[in-house]
Amino acid sequence: MAEVTFQILEGMERGRVFAKLETPFTIGREEDNGVQLNDERVSRFHLKVQEEDGKVILTDLESTNGTRVNGVPMTVRALQVGDLVSIGRCLLVFGNPKEIGQRYRTSSSLPLQKLKDVIDGSHPGEEDDYVETSRTVDSGSAYPSDWNDILDSAGQELATSTPPIPDTFRLAQRAQLADLIAFVHQQIVVFLQDGRERSMDDGSGQRVIDGASWQKMIALEMRLAQIIREVSDPDGP
C-alpha cells in the first residue's frame, strides 16, 4: 500500500493538497472519493489510483469526459512524479513539491549548504571537491576554489524562493491582488494544459508546446514585467 500526494492546480479546490493518500482510492465528484472535486464535468467516480508491482497506476473508470495525463487521453497509466492529470475543468499534479523537485532538479540544493558550511567554518564530508581551497581572504579563513560558483548558485536558489504574502493590505487591496494573481494563474494553467507529452515511453516527462501558446506565455511575461515596473515606480515613465 503506497502513500501518494495530489496537488490541485485548477478547479474549485485549487490550492488544496491531498497528502499521504493510501492506495487504492478514487477521485471524483462524490463525497466517498479519496479526492472529491466539485465539478459537474467530473464523473461521480471518475478514476481510480492503486499500487501494483511497486508502481502507482491510474485507471479511468469509464468516465463521461475522460482523463488526460500530460495532455494525452488515457484509460490506464503508470504515474510518474510530476505528471499532470486533467479531468473536467480540474488540473492535478501527482506528487508533493519535494518529490517533484527531486525528479526535475537539474542541480542539487548543495550550493546553499556549501555556502552555510563555509560561513560556519565547517566542512562536513571533506572528501568533496568544494573543500579544496585555492585562495585565502584577509581574515585567514580558507574559501573553496569554486566560491564564485557557490555564490551564484546560492543566489539563484534564494531568488526563486517564495516571498511572504502581504498581511497589511486593506480589503480592497487584497481583492485587487487576488484578481491579479488569479489572472496570472489562469494564463499559466492554460499553458500547462496546452502542453503535450513528447513520449510516454522514455520517462523524461518532456512536453511539447505549440508556437501560439509559447507566444502567449511570452506576452504574459512581458505584462508581468510591466506590472512590476508600475508597482515599483508608479510615478515613472
Side-chain angles (χ1 to χ4, degrees):
M1 181 172 58
E3 289 187 346
V4 302
T5 297
F6 277 94
Q7 302 175 71
I8 314 300
L9 300 183
E10 179 63 358
M12 292 292 293
E13 289 74 26
R14 68 183 179 191
R16 288 195 61 184
V17 177
F18 293 84
K20 296 184 177 180
L21 295 165
E22 294 185 352
T23 57
F25 62 90
T26 56
I27 298 177
R29 205 173 63 246
E30 292 288 322
E31 292 183 1
D32 292 338
N33 289 282
V35 176
Q36 182 186 15
L37 299 174
N38 184 19
D39 181 353
E40 70 274 10
R41 295 189 183 183
V42 174
S43 295
R44 293 172 60 250
F45 294 92
H46 198 104
L47 60 85
K48 182 178 182 180
V49 178
Q50 60 190 330
E51 181 190 15
E52 186 172 323
D53 296 331
K55 297 183 181 297
V56 177
I57 308 297
L58 177 152
T59 305
D60 184 90
L61 298 176
E62 299 183 355
S63 63
T64 302
N65 294 307
T67 301
R68 291 175 177 265
V69 178
N70 300 329
V72 180
M74 289 290 171
T75 54
V76 178
R77 169 71 179 244
L79 292 176
Q80 297 188 67
V81 167
D83 279 349
L84 295 173
V85 180
S86 179
I87 59 177
R89 297 186 181 90
C90 303
L91 184 63
L92 301 77
V93 60
F94 174 64
N96 61 47
K98 182 178 180 181
E99 293 170 332
I100 296 171
Q102 288 174 342
R103 178 182 179 190
Y104 290 108
R105 191 183 301 274
T106 55
S107 60
S108 69
S109 59
L110 279 177
L112 283 181
Q113 183 59 49
K114 290 179 182 180
L115 181 61
K116 180 179 183 299
D117 291 341
V118 170
I119 293 173
D120 292 345
S122 58
H123 301 288
E126 292 195 355
E127 68 280 1
D128 293 345
D129 292 339
Y130 78 85
V131 299
E132 296 178 4
T133 59
S134 63
R135 60 192 178 97
T136 303
V137 296
D138 293 341
S139 63
S141 61
Y143 280 74
S145 56
D146 59 352
W147 174 248
N148 288 332
D149 292 339
I150 293 174
L151 285 177
D152 290 343
S153 298
Q156 292 171 9
E157 189 166 341
L158 287 171
T160 58
S161 61
T162 305
I165 298 175
D167 58 2
T168 58
F169 284 177
R170 298 189 303 274
L171 179 60
Q173 292 173 317
R174 292 202 303 270
Q176 287 180 306
L177 178 61
D179 287 344
L180 178 59
I181 295 174
F183 164 73
V184 176
H185 168 80
Q186 184 59 38
Q187 297 301 307
I188 295 174
V189 164
V190 170
F191 179 80
L192 293 176
Q193 291 178 322
D194 283 346
R196 295 294 181 268
E197 194 169 32
R198 182 183 297 276
S199 171
M200 297 188 316
D201 302 323
D202 61 12
S204 67
Q206 292 184 343
R207 312 289 199 271
V208 178
I209 297 292
D210 61 48
S213 297
W214 185 252
Q215 288 299 320
K216 289 179 181 177
M217 187 54 59
I218 292 175
L220 175 62
E221 174 60 22
M222 184 60 195
R223 183 62 189 124
L224 286 176
Q226 293 170 343
I227 290 172
I228 292 171
R229 184 183 183 90
E230 292 167 8
V231 171
S232 301
D233 186 13
D235 297 325

